[in-house]
């Protein structure tokens, strides 16, 4: 499964999950680790401002 398919799969899980259930439990162990790592990075301020991300991804025609 390529990275785009994985992202779509995770997005689908989030969208279709019951708000009362913990959607993280439906992710693989590696996906859960990635989510927690991202949250830790955000807590440490290791983020890219939205405007910079738009500029970066705009180079590839992504918006």
């Amino acid at each position: 499964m390529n990275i785009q398919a994985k992202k779509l799969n995770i997005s689908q899980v989030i969208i279709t999950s019951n708000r009362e259930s913990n959607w993280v439990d439906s992710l693989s162990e590696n996906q859960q680790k990635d989510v927690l790592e991202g949250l830790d990075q955000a807590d440490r301020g290791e983020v890219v401002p939205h405007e910079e991300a738009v500029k970066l991804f705009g180079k590839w025609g992504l918006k």
Side-chain angles (χ1 to χ4, degrees):
M1 182 182 293
N2 66 32
I3 190 70
Q4 192 65 18
K6 288 179 182 180
K7 289 179 186 178
L8 289 172
N9 184 22
I10 292 170
S11 297
Q12 193 66 18
V13 168
I14 293 168
I15 291 168
T16 60
S17 68
N18 180 338
R19 291 183 185 260
E20 293 180 14
S21 67
N22 189 351
W23 60 267
V24 174
D25 293 337
S26 65
L27 300 177
S28 72
E29 186 175 332
N30 285 336
Q31 290 169 324
Q32 289 181 25
K33 286 180 185 177
D34 289 343
V35 168
L36 293 174
E37 179 182 345
L39 292 172
D40 286 343
Q41 289 170 337
D43 287 343
R44 292 190 303 269
E46 299 171 0
V47 295
V48 176
H50 178 73
E51 295 79 19
E52 288 183 35
V54 169
K55 288 178 188 176
L56 176 64
F57 289 104
K59 293 178 184 179
W60 295 291
L62 303 173
K63 296 180 180 179

